[in-house]
Amino acid sequence: MRTLLLALCGILAVAPGWAAGLHHDLTVTLDPAARRLEVEDRLRLPAGTHRLRLAPGLAVGEARLDGKPVAVRGNALPVTVPEGGGELRLRYAGTLPPLTPESRGGGGGAEGAYLPAGTGWIPTPESGAAEPPSWRLSVRVPAPFVAVATGRLVEETRDGAGYTAIFAEERSVEEPSLFAGAWQVTERMHNGLRLRTYFHPEQAPLADEYLDLSARTIDAQAVRIGAYPFAGFAILSAPLPVGLGFPGLTYIGRQVMPLPFIRAQSLPHEILHNWWGNGVRVGDSGIWPGNWSEGLTTFLADYAAAEARGEDAARAMRLDWLRDYAALPAERDSALTDFRAKVHDAAQIVGYGKAAMLFHMLRAEIGRDAFDAGIRRFWEEKRFQDAGWDDLRHAFEAASERDLKAFFEQWLTRVGAPTLELVQARADGDRVALTLRQGEPAYGLTVPVEVQTVAGTERHTIRLDGNEATVTIPAATAPRALAVDPGFGLFRRLAPGEAPPTLRDVTLDHAATTVIATADGPAAEAARTLAERLADGKPRIAAADRADPAGPLAVIGTAGEVDRLLARLGLPPLPDSLKGRGTARVWTARTPQGRPLLAVAADDAAALQALLRPLPHYGRQSWLVFEGARAVDRGVWPAGGSPLRVSFE
């Protein structure tokens, strides 16, 4: 999430010429409700010519370099520092923009303040810096607000009028991010770490559970990777509908804080980003650019949690990633070296799912012990530095004593995924002879194969480096069946029958047409808004008489109108299993031409309106039943017969 935030805030790439040594000493007075920010910053600057910039809305009242006035040009401060460095003293102030869901650059309001790093709320070099600055920040907010910043909490005081705290970061991490809210603070010291929750009153009962989970996650990851890199960890309840990670804290929307998946998946993910993305920064060193941290964090947090629940849960997560990829139109696919941040669902499918599968395949290739040793080596060598995919490769090569360039190159630089075809398979006594084929271009694959015998399941691997391989597998007893990659351990394009339709088959496709199947009025307005929320881009809305059943199609409206339109177009109707259930039914199907269909049939305008927030989060489902805004039932249609399985009986 850190990388997403930096991308959205428009931080420019690091450029040479800004030498290490930048340090901020900030004294901040912040009134969130009045949206007023006042700052005094004493900057230690290295020698050279620098051009600093502040965000719009902030005005410099005083600027002095080593006591001498500096000319200010709007929000730009050109400064030439003599040999030996110098101190630039700035006083500036301004009114923050309102705090809204679109406040990517920060803002303030009655519910608090949000000033993320890199948005210009402190002076930032226009061309970037060679290393992030060190800093010390003293902040004062009026009651009832409490302030939090990234960095180490040095001291804090409360009085009847407000709250004051000092935070500091002496290492190269990133500029400070600053937050304020009317929070209740719960603290626990754990192995020398300060763990805190900053929660709104309605979330106070959740504090102990969040602190317990934070302590367990930090301990487990520290054993696997290395010591936790910050002085503590804080969970902040955000008025915004976000889930963002920062060095030493996470900022999570107050409305979703009680949901189980936040604790089970989102919180461990954000904690792990303190190693990957914050502790080791994403850089473009080496021959392969791209953001590796989201995939590694997904693998070591989300997928590790699934593995802890058992192989069925881990297999289900791998299949989810492959189904997501199956729904991705070819024109929206990209190489992992092009992934920078989750700016839309298509980017997430590649940058999170495909990248996590890369690490899953790498671990299978070199073994768990070598993989874990590579993780620890990467952390030890790159703490508080920029690192790229090439640095990861070198760490795993050293740990495994293998040349992994070809492995990384094919998964990082190619757009697309391999396809597998079971050309033939036959049992011959206690052996199985089979021929596997893959499409062009050929990948180097270690393909898992399972043989069902009278005595049980035998697991084997087949090396496939060219387009085709014919092998004979010995079995302990008479083979009954054979399956190629039944556990979905390879990143590949699913074979026909392995990928039933899901919502994402339509919502990801920019060529999809959406038809609003309801009369004009509140229901039509809600249906159009829902179409915009569902589409991963701008939806193509067409009139009912211009719907193209030969292409990907979404039909959204009230139940009777949806039924009539589907019948008129000769499209699959509402399944019997969903009839008469809930206030809204959502389902997917294949058209007679084999294209994906998504239908949303609600009882009325209110039922459509209730879907606006929840439905976009269920893209992996094939069907859902809603009661108001609550999904009371959901699922994925059963897969058809896989051509990668064969029975010998």
Side-chain angles (χ1 to χ4, degrees), residues 3 7 282-284 287-292 330-344 346-348 350-352 354-355 389 409 411-416:
T3 308
V282 174
D284 284 340
I287 59 176
W288 300 311
N291 178 353
W292 51 266
E331 65 272 13
R332 302 199 67 197
D333 199 358
S334 61
L336 266 170
T337 49
D338 292 329
F339 173 71
R340 296 296 186 273
K342 179 194 169 185
V343 293
H344 42 59
Q348 181 181 21
V350 174
Y352 288 61
K354 181 177 181 177
W389 280 108
E409 188 166 37
W411 295 114
L412 293 177
T413 64
R414 293 186 188 178
V415 178

Side-chain angles (χ1 to χ4, degrees), residues 577-578 581-586 623-627 630-634:
S577 59
L578 303 185
R581 301 180 62 189
T583 58
R585 281 73 50 200
V586 181
W623 58 269
L624 302 103
V625 176
F626 281 88
E627 287 283 358
R630 186 166 64 95
V632 296
D633 204 0
R634 58 190 168 107

